[in-house]
């Protein structure tokens, strides 16, 4: 559940700060009437993300085992691609995020109300869909005995904490180095994504699409029983599987050894940028959210 809490916290904070930037800009330029359409788009995006998550959870249940594994494995690999892109995007593009969003908002307020609705839906919808897909894939990878309910509640709790943090930042009640926050959580998500990738490949092996299901790199089931508290902890936090095939083993290490150094390099290249949030200003929401750089 820690995985899903962290994903909800990180993505929720990113989305909340994006909304804060847009709200701060609209208030600054005196477009208070545009706030309602903006929230309409945000709520619509949230509902779409929830519907997408429900479709992923309940949609494949009527299919055969092989079909479920094939779909699950494919979507897990796609989820890894999305989260990898998101981690690198946040490390590089956040520097100009505030200006980009304000430019989009300026164009939207010059048009119709629909433009503001679409702006809110698109800016939050991308985060919502990516989060729903990765939460679903990470939950399947951990094999939670309680089904989707406990991980989903942990994710909701993470999102609520993120909203509270964003609110505290915009009110000047909290100073948080967002660059450090996103750097450390991004590094942890690289480990999580490696586990999801390995699990997705295992699903494809079980579906008969990929070979090597019986070729184990190691089997520590006797030493680390999957049902033991430490086995469950390792599975829940790091997606560790006591019985791992060579394909899973190779995929995990290749992903980490390639992506982690690139992520560290990208993060270090941005350390010279302003990172500390936030003092109270005349437009706290916009300025606070700008600290995602």
């Amino acid at each position: 559940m820690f995985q899903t809490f962290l994903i909800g916290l990180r993505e929720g904070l990113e989305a909340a700060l994006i909304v804060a930037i847009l709200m701060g800009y609209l208030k600054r330029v005196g477009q208070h009437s545009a706030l309602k359409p903006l929230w309409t788009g945000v709520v619509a995006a949230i509902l779409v993300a929830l519907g997408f998550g429900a479709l992923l959870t309940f949609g494949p249940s009527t299919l055969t085992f092989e079909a479920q594994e094939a779909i699950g494995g494919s979507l897990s690999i796609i989820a890894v691609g999305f989260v990898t892109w998101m981690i690198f995007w946040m490390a590089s593009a956040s520097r100009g995020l505030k200006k980009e969003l304000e430019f989009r908002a300026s164009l939207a307020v010059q048009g119709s109300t629909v433009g503001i609705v679409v702006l809110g839906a698109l800016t939050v919808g991308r985060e919502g869909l990516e989060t729903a897909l990765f939460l679903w894939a990470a939950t399947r990878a951990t094999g939670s005995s309680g089904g989707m309910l406990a991980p989903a509640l942990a994710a909701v709790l993470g999102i609520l904490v993120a909203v509270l943090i964003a609110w505290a930042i915009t009110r000047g009640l909290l100073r948080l180095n967002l660059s450090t926050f996103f750097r450390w959580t991004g590094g942890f998500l690289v480990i999580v994504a490696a586990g999801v990738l390995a699990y997705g490949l295992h699903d494809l092996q079980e579906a008969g699409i990929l070979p090597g299901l019986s070729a184990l790199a190691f089997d520590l089931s006797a030493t680390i029983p999957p049902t033991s508290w430490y086995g469950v902890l390792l599975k829940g936090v790091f997606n560790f599987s006591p019985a791992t095939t060579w394909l899973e083993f190779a995929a995990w290490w290749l992903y980490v050894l390639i992506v982690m150094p690139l992520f560290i390099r990208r993060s270090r290249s941005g350390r010279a940028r302003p990172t500390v949030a936030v003092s109270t200003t005349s437009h706290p929401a916009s300025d606070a959210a700008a600290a995602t750089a």
Side-chain angles (χ1 to χ4, degrees), residues 69-171:
E69 296 301 290
I71 293 175
S74 300
L75 289 179
S76 294
I77 294 172
I78 292 173
V80 170
F82 275 131
V83 78
T84 304
W85 173 83
M86 174 268 296
I87 291 171
F88 281 95
W89 176 83
M90 195 62 190
S92 60
S94 58
R95 184 178 184 181
L97 181 62
K98 178 174 179 287
K99 290 183 178 180
E100 179 185 351
L101 288 173
E102 289 187 347
F103 175 71
R104 293 181 183 179
S106 67
L107 295 179
V109 296
Q110 294 174 12
S112 63
T113 302
V114 176
I116 296 294
V117 175
V118 172
L119 177 64
L122 290 181
T123 52
V124 177
R126 183 195 63 194
E127 300 290 337
L129 293 176
E130 290 177 359
T131 303
L133 179 57
F134 194 61
L135 283 173
W136 175 82
T139 300
R140 290 185 77 255
T142 58
S144 174
S145 58
M148 295 290 293
L149 180 59
L153 290 177
V156 170
L157 179 60
I159 293 172
L160 292 177
V161 172
V163 171
L164 180 61
I165 291 174
W167 176 84
I169 290 174
T170 60
R171 298 302 179 187

Side-chain angles (χ1 to χ4, degrees), residues 39 71 189 207 223 232 234 274-275 289:
W39 277 108
I71 293 175
L189 285 183
T223 307
V232 173
L234 289 172
T275 60

Side-chain angles (χ1 to χ4, degrees), residues 235-249:
K235 183 69 172 177
V237 177
F238 299 107
N239 285 328
F240 174 78
S241 177
T244 298
T245 67
W246 277 108
L247 180 60
E248 294 177 81
F249 181 80

Side-chain angles (χ1 to χ4, degrees), residues 259-291:
V259 175
M260 186 67 81
L262 292 175
F263 172 72
I264 293 174
R265 183 184 305 172
R266 183 69 62 86
S267 298
R268 286 178 175 175
S269 67
R271 285 187 180 180
R273 302 194 300 256
T275 60
V276 179
V278 167
S279 60
T280 303
T281 67
S282 58
H283 309 293
S286 180
D287 295 338

Side-chain angles (χ1 to χ4, degrees), residues 77 80 84 190-202 204-205 210 217-218 244-260:
I77 294 172
V80 170
T84 304
V190 170
I191 303 297
V192 174
V196 173
L197 174 62
Y199 185 84
L201 294 175
H202 182 79
L204 295 180
Q205 287 180 313
L210 294 177
F218 56 82
T244 298
T245 67
W246 277 108
L247 180 60
E248 294 177 81
F249 181 80
W252 194 95
W253 279 105
L254 282 174
Y255 180 86
V256 171
L257 291 176
I258 293 174
V259 175
M260 186 67 81

